[in-house]
Amino acid sequence: MQTFLHRFEQFGPEIPSRRHINPDGTNGGIVALSAHVDPSAIVDKTARIGPRAFIGPGAIVRYRAKISAGAWIGPGAEIKQRVLIGERAVIGEGQIIEYRKTVADHERVGA
């Protein structure tokens, strides 16, 4: 696994990161090393998964979605294109967050 530094916030620090490998073997998005992404999850190569975030089994994170620090995405949830999930937000199992929606910091959806 190749690691590198990535800046998740415009003025934030560079954080040790890696690329997620999707179940089909393709390169997925950038994931902070402190985050957990289940091996069965699909993360688009343009998506970003911040520090201490959790992405559950079978979840899908689509084009240019951003999962902020400490957010929790439940099993089977789908985060659609250009969605922003705020810090420590919780998205419940099987929930679908629609195109361009912003989920506020600490907000809970279906959990």
Side-chain angles (χ1 to χ4, degrees):
M1 167 179 61
Q2 180 183 2
T3 63
F4 50 88
L5 295 175
H6 180 76
R7 191 178 315 275
F8 287 89
E9 302 296 331
Q10 184 174 2
F11 300 107
E14 291 184 327
I15 296 173
S17 303
R18 65 176 177 83
R19 284 248 176 226
H20 175 67
I21 304 300
N22 287 316
D24 66 0
T26 60
N27 279 334
I30 295 175
V31 177
L33 287 183
S34 63
H36 171 80
V37 179
D38 189 88
S40 67
I42 298 170
V43 179
D44 185 85
K45 68 181 179 180
T46 62
R48 303 291 179 260
I49 311 295
R52 301 173 314 284
F54 173 87
I55 309 297
I60 301 171
V61 181
R62 298 209 181 267
Y63 176 78
R64 293 191 68 184
K66 179 182 172 192
I67 312 301
S68 297
W72 192 90
I73 309 300
E78 182 176 0
I79 309 303
K80 296 217 175 177
Q81 295 90 336
R82 298 178 185 261
V83 166
L84 171 61
I85 304 296
E87 290 188 13
R88 297 181 184 244
V90 176
I91 308 301
E93 182 175 356
Q95 296 296 305
I96 297 172
I97 306 300
E98 295 295 338
Y99 175 74
R100 287 190 180 254
K101 179 168 171 60
T102 295
V103 176
D105 292 352
H106 305 278
E107 185 175 350
R108 299 173 69 86
V109 177

